[in-house]
């Protein structure tokens, strides 16, 4: 049984929101990886380095969780599109001009 229109709308909204937050998590991972690299270069083994690595691990785990949730909510490519049907054979071309 196909999902109702409101369920489909909620599903597409959830997928869109998960994609948006996943890109945020990816940006945070890049930020904390850069920060950890810079901190490791300046003060290897310091508390700041371990905090950067911890936050990098947290955002990596959130990214993986969002990716898994997106795969579980996989929306078929045709779910959001209107179904197109072939024109019935009873439709005629009456009233149209023949090509010259």
């Amino acid at each position: 049984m196909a999902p109702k229109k409101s369920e489909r709308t909620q599903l597409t909204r959830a997928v869109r929101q998960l994609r948006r937050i996943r890109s945020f998590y990816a940006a945070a991972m890049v930020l904390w990886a850069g920060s950890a690299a810079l901190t490791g270069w300046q003060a290897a083994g310091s508390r700041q380095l371990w905090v950067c690595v911890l936050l990098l691990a947290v955002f990596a785990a959130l990214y993986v969780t969002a990716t898994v949730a997106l795969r579980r909510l996989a929306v078929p490519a045709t779910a959001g599109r209107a179904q197109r049907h072939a024109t019935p054979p009873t439709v005629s071309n009456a009233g149209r001009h023949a090509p010259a």
Side-chain angles (χ1 to χ4, degrees):
M1 189 163 153
K4 295 181 181 177
K5 186 176 181 180
S6 63
E7 292 173 359
R8 203 172 36 224
T9 304
Q10 288 177 347
L11 180 66
T12 56
R13 187 175 296 152
V15 167
R16 201 173 332 135
Q17 194 171 20
L18 272 172
R19 285 184 182 145
R20 218 177 283 142
I21 198 70
R22 189 177 62 166
S23 65
F24 172 77
Y25 293 153
M29 283 179 5
V30 169
L31 175 83
W32 287 113
S35 181
L38 182 64
T39 305
W41 182 266
Q42 292 176 350
S46 67
R47 181 178 291 172
Q48 288 86 4
L49 173 66
W50 291 111
V51 169
C52 291
V53 170
L54 175 71
L55 286 170
L56 174 62
V58 166
F59 280 107
L62 288 170
Y63 179 83
V64 168
T65 304
T67 302
V68 168
L70 269 173
R71 290 207 179 176
R72 286 186 182 166
L73 288 175
V75 179
T78 59
R81 299 180 190 161
Q83 298 254 343
R84 293 187 179 192
H85 300 282
T87 55
T90 57
V91 175
S92 67
N93 288 333
R96 293 189 182 182
H97 298 288

